[in-house]
Structure formats: structure tokens, C-alpha cells
């Protein structure tokens, strides 16, 4: 009998963090992206921050990194800002949908790559070209998703308060007609 209990738990965590409806940490990546318009996706809260679209590109890039490393590609890396966060065009409906689809496909590809494994032994192997294990890398991508889901959630709220994603004018001094009810209703 081949042991793969840990691998099954990792796949479950990857899926829950990405698209689970009841992740322990709060909204999954898919839940956080729900309702983000192309306009919101392409905007920055301040000039020195990333847009939601750039964060989605970034999350996709690191999933692809994991897949390439699991396939044994020692040389694959994400060193340039363009490979890490993208050099994205103006976001329109098509571009935004394509970016989300690429994220979804990279999630599927990562899980499929893990499903090819027969046991947990590889988890203790060192990732090609790195000094950490597959176990650390895979848990890292889970933490990475959790971190960026929180970041996207905050960006989404900030953009909403700035007027992105809604058509009516704010009614209070803070830029939102929702005031304290915002977190409960959004």
C-alpha cells in the first residue's frame, strides 16, 4: 500500500484555498474575485501598489512555477517583474476574463500534476534549482493564495469606496453611502 495521505491533504488545502466555499481563513480566491469588474481589476489604489489584475497574474505565475518545478525544470524561474506581475494592457472584459481563466487553468494544471504522484515521498525532495522541499513549495503556494486573497479583498473594498464598481454617488463624508454597514453587505 502506497502512502499519500499528506499529498491528499495538500490537494484539499490547495482546492479549498482557491475555490472552497467554507475556507477557515475566510473567502477563497474565487470568492474574493467574484464581482470584480474589468475596471476594478485594472485600477491601482495608489500609484505604488499592484492592481487586482497584476495580483491574479502573479498568482498564476507562481502556480506555473510550481508545475514546472514538479516536472523537473531546474532552469525555469520568475526573475523579471514582467514574469512576476505582468505587463498588462488596459483591462477590458475580454482581458479580465482571460486572466481569470489562466488562473483557473493553472490551478487545474497544478492539481493534475499532483494527482500523477503515487506517494508522499517526493514531498521531502528538494525542488530543482532551489534549496527547499516540494512540501515547503506547495504549502507556500497555499499561504501565497491566502495572503493575496486578503490583499485583493482590501483592494476591492478600497476601490469600491473610491467609486469603482458602482454607479451611484456616495452619500456620506467617507465616500460611501454604506458607511459601517459595508462589511456586512459587501
Amino acid at each position: 500500500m502506497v502512502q499519500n495521505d499528506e499529498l491528499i491533504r495538500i490537494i484539499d488545502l490547495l482546492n479549498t484555498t482557491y475555490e472552497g466555499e467554507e475556507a477557515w481563513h475566510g473567502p477563497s480566491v474565487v470568492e474574493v474575485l467574484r464581482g470584480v469588474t474589468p475596471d476594478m481589476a485594472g485600477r491601482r489604489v495608489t500609484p505604488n501598489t499592484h492592481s487586482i489584475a497584476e495580483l491574479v497574474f502573479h498568482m498564476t505565475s507562481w502556480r506555473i512555477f510550481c508545475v514546472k518545478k514538479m516536472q523537473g525544470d531546474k532552469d525555469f524561474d520568475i526573475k523579471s517583474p514582467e514574469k512576476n506581475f505582468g505587463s498588462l494592457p488596459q483591462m477590458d472584459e475580454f482581458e479580465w476574463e482571460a486572466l481569470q481563466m489562466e488562473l483557473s487553468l493553472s490551478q487545474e494544471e497544478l492539481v493534475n500534476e499532483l494527482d500523477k504522484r503515487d506517494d508522499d515521498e517526493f514531498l521531502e525532495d528538494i525542488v530543482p534549482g532551489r534549496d527547499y522541499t516540494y512540501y515547503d513549495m506547495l504549502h507556500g503556494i497555499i499561504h501565497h493564495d491566502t495572503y493575496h486573497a486578503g490583499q485583493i479583498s482590501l483592494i476591492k473594498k478600497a476601490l469600491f469606496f473610491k467609486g469603482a464598481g458602482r454607479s451611484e454617488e456616495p452619500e456620506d463624508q467617507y465616500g460611501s453611502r454604506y458607511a459601517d454597514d459595508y462589511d456586512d453587505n459587501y
Side-chain angles (χ1 to χ4, degrees):
M1 181 100 186
V2 178
Q3 284 289 81
N4 65 351
D5 294 342
E6 185 61 25
L7 183 57
I8 290 168
R9 285 191 292 269
I10 289 171
I11 292 170
D12 184 54
L13 279 171
L14 277 165
N15 285 327
T16 300
T17 304
Y18 178 71
E19 62 188 348
E21 292 183 19
E22 294 187 24
W24 72 268
H25 58 79
S28 66
V29 172
V30 169
E31 288 175 308
V32 166
L33 291 174
R34 194 170 295 131
V36 173
T37 65
D39 178 54
M40 291 170 74
R43 285 195 190 196
R44 295 174 189 263
V45 176
T46 63
N48 63 342
T49 60
H50 290 292
S51 68
I52 292 172
E54 288 170 326
L55 293 174
V56 168
F57 183 96
H58 173 72
M59 293 165 69
T60 303
S61 294
W62 283 100
R63 275 184 174 68
I64 292 167
F65 173 88
C66 290
V67 169
K68 294 284 191 186
K69 293 303 177 181
M70 291 192 59
Q71 293 170 342
D73 191 335
K74 179 183 176 197
D75 298 323
F76 184 83
D77 215 333
I78 300 172
K79 291 186 178 181
S80 70
E82 292 79 25
K83 281 187 171 184
N84 200 359
F85 288 98
S87 179
L88 302 173
Q90 185 69 25
M91 277 294 117
D92 60 21
E93 191 73 34
F94 175 79
E95 292 292 336
W96 179 229
E97 284 181 29
L99 203 54
Q100 291 178 89
M101 181 59 72
E102 288 169 9
L103 179 63
S104 177
L105 290 173
S106 69
Q107 171 73 10
E108 204 174 300
E109 192 174 359
L110 178 57
V111 171
N112 287 341
E113 196 63 39
L114 290 170
D115 280 338
K116 293 178 186 176
R117 306 296 172 136
D118 293 329
D119 60 54
D120 290 347
E121 288 182 31
F122 84 98
L123 292 171
E124 295 307 316
D125 293 344
I126 300 296
V127 173
R130 297 296 195 210
D131 61 357
Y132 47 81
T133 65
Y134 285 105
Y135 178 89
D136 293 330
M137 179 184 77
L138 293 167
H139 277 279
I141 204 75
I142 294 164
H143 299 303
H144 191 247
D145 276 358
T146 306
Y147 171 76
H148 287 304
Q151 198 176 18
I152 290 168
S153 183
L154 289 172
I155 292 169
K156 189 174 165 182
K157 287 179 182 183
L159 289 172
F160 190 82
F161 279 126
K162 284 184 156 191
R166 61 189 166 113
S167 58
E168 67 267 3
E169 290 298 312
E171 295 177 4
D172 73 7
Q173 64 190 11
Y174 303 108
S176 171
R177 66 184 182 86
Y178 299 104
D180 293 334
D181 295 334
Y182 178 79
D183 283 328
D184 295 334
N185 295 323
Y186 189 68

